[in-house]
Amino acid sequence: MMASVGSKSAGEYANRLAVEGGAPVRTTPLPWELPGANWIGEEERELVDRVVRARSPFRFYGPDPQHMVETFEREWCETFGHRHAVAVSSGTAALSIAMSALEVGPGDEVLIPGYLWVSCVSAVVRAGAIPRLVDIDDTFCMDPEDLARKIGPRSRAVLCVHMSGAPGRIEDIARICRERGVALIEDCAQTAGAGQHGRPVGRFGDIGIFSFQLNKNMTSGDGGMIVCEDDALFRRIIALHDLGYARNVAGRLDTSDETCQLWGIGARMSELAGAMALAQMRKLPRITGAMKSAKWRIREALADIPGLDFRNIIDPAGDSGPFLITLFRDSAVCTRFVEAVRAEGIVGQPGSLTCITMREWGLHWYSNIPSLVHKRSNSRDGMPWTHPANAFAEAYDYGHGALPGCDDLHARGALLAIASNLNDADVNDIITAFRKVARVVLA
């Protein structure tokens, strides 16, 4: 029986921060933050087994096609109101297909936010074009004011990334793109099931892309989706996601159409991935609903803490909920706060990234991408940086300091991943730990 620790009572010991030797709020790790993976069950197994039993894992033909990918695409359009959708092998492939569909190449620039994922930059560079950085605002998404300042004669497209589960000022961004005659690609990789003012993400621009990698709101292990409302543009997307040509009714390549003879990348989704994605999509409202409920319960319980601020979510009803982003006075306070919260037991399973500072968020920040900062190339000639048509961008700088607003949020922001299967005790422990740490660190 422990009545005291040194000169401290048991109560005082419990109230001390764990990082200073006190008792932690919890000793059991939080669940894995992987949203869709937490919901994998018999529905996925049943559909995958149908494909296996049919021995037909290729979407276009086989002994007994089960049409999983086709059904997935159709139900996606019915659910989110898109005219066209095609499933692909990954969100990264989807971005490259979008660039090619819009004929992005040397002499063009694509405007991208400073808070993104490395695949966004990669798609632009591998197209032979130049990425141009745009600052972010308090939504942690692209700042429309900085976008308007930077759109110029070389701007071919804007890649707006809906980061961390919720869109930013996408309505303003879409308006600017329309007024300036620039194509808009929506990267919805982290926001499947999200929207704004009743409009699903992916329906604000010319092309929308989604990812179904393991970390995403729904998962097929790897996989993605491209959505589009324009018939002619979608025809290009279909050919590019395949081998550059259309297919006939038997699923065989048709090279006879001179209007559709391109260079595809073979990024078709398999029927096995399609079966997984179809089952997951049917659960998506429950997955995002669970995350959103837990996140906003936590956020509302912490709203009265001085010195603790939150990311601006334009439309909370459209948030998909996988991350809680907090802001602090400066970098030192942010680091101390996060370390103290982790010491209280607000951590995930080994290998997860449940509770981190934004500076620990790696390739999600422009200045943490070495191949961008140092203008690396996949080819010996230094393409696209050395291409004569891209000489206009010679002075573009991608090092830390290029985006002041982004750098500020990067320095003093923190991220808590919201698992899709948190129970009431988990949520209460998170709230208790945050409030306990705030009493000391933010005093």
Side-chain angles (χ1 to χ4, degrees), residues 292-313:
K292 184 161 60 174
S293 175
K295 169 184 172 175
W296 283 90
R297 181 178 159 193
I298 295 166
R299 178 164 164 159
E300 288 165 6
L302 305 178
D304 64 337
I305 298 176
L308 179 65
D309 295 317
F310 301 94
R311 169 197 190 183
N312 179 14
I313 304 249

Side-chain angles (χ1 to χ4, degrees), residues 73 77 80-85 203 227-231 234:
E73 293 164 347
C77 287
F80 299 110
H82 298 291
R83 182 173 176 84
H84 300 294
R203 287 180 52 196
V227 295
C228 176
E229 315 308 317
D230 181 85
D231 293 349
F234 188 68

Side-chain angles (χ1 to χ4, degrees), residues 37-192:
N38 290 328
W39 289 67
I40 293 174
E42 288 304 311
E43 299 88 347
E44 289 81 358
R45 181 170 182 169
E46 177 186 351
L47 295 184
V48 170
D49 282 351
R50 280 173 51 186
V51 175
V52 173
R53 287 193 298 268
R55 299 179 180 177
S56 298
F58 184 55
R59 73 163 295 178
F60 288 115
Y61 52 79
D64 183 18
Q66 297 299 297
H67 307 291
M68 293 293 176
V69 179
E70 182 182 337
T71 303
F72 175 41
E73 293 164 347
R74 184 182 69 252
E75 290 192 14
W76 188 276
C77 287
E78 292 169 353
T79 300
F80 299 110
H82 298 291
R83 182 173 176 84
H84 300 294
V86 61
V88 295
S89 58
S90 71
T92 298
L95 287 165
S96 283
I97 293 162
M99 296 297 160
S100 292
L102 294 170
E103 301 180 80
V104 172
D108 298 329
E109 66 180 12
V110 177
L111 294 102
I112 59 174
Y115 181 43
L116 73 175
W117 178 238
V118 62
S119 297
C120 303
V121 188
S122 175
V124 179
V125 171
R126 286 186 291 106
I130 294 293
R132 183 165 192 188
L133 294 173
V134 178
D135 220 335
I136 63 173
D137 57 23
D138 60 357
T139 68
F140 277 74
C141 295
M142 184 176 281
D143 178 1
E145 293 184 5
D146 197 41
L147 172 65
R149 285 192 291 268
K150 289 178 176 175
I151 287 180
R154 298 286 188 170
S155 302
R156 180 73 178 176
V158 171
L159 176 56
C160 180
V161 188
H162 302 311
M163 285 299 292
S164 300
R169 293 181 169 84
I170 184 58
E171 293 171 330
D172 292 337
I173 290 167
R175 174 184 51 78
I176 291 168
C177 289
R178 287 193 301 271
E179 292 173 353
R180 305 290 283 273
V182 177
L184 174 59
I185 304 167
E186 292 177 68
D187 182 331
C188 314
Q190 296 186 357
T191 50

Side-chain angles (χ1 to χ4, degrees), residues 332-387:
V333 172
C334 177
T335 298
R336 187 181 175 206
F337 191 96
V338 170
E339 289 176 350
V341 167
R342 288 199 291 239
E344 296 297 337
I346 305 306
V347 295
Q349 304 292 325
S352 71
L353 297 172
T354 295
C355 182
I356 59 173
T357 66
M358 282 297 189
R359 287 176 299 160
E360 298 172 285
W361 207 211
L363 297 174
H364 289 93
W365 296 94
Y366 78 96
S367 58
N368 284 349
I369 304 175
S371 47
L372 174 64
V373 173
H374 301 295
K375 300 183 180 180
R376 305 297 191 205
S377 174
N378 284 354
S379 60
R380 292 191 304 274
D381 65 358
M383 204 18 210
W385 317 106
T386 57
H387 195 288

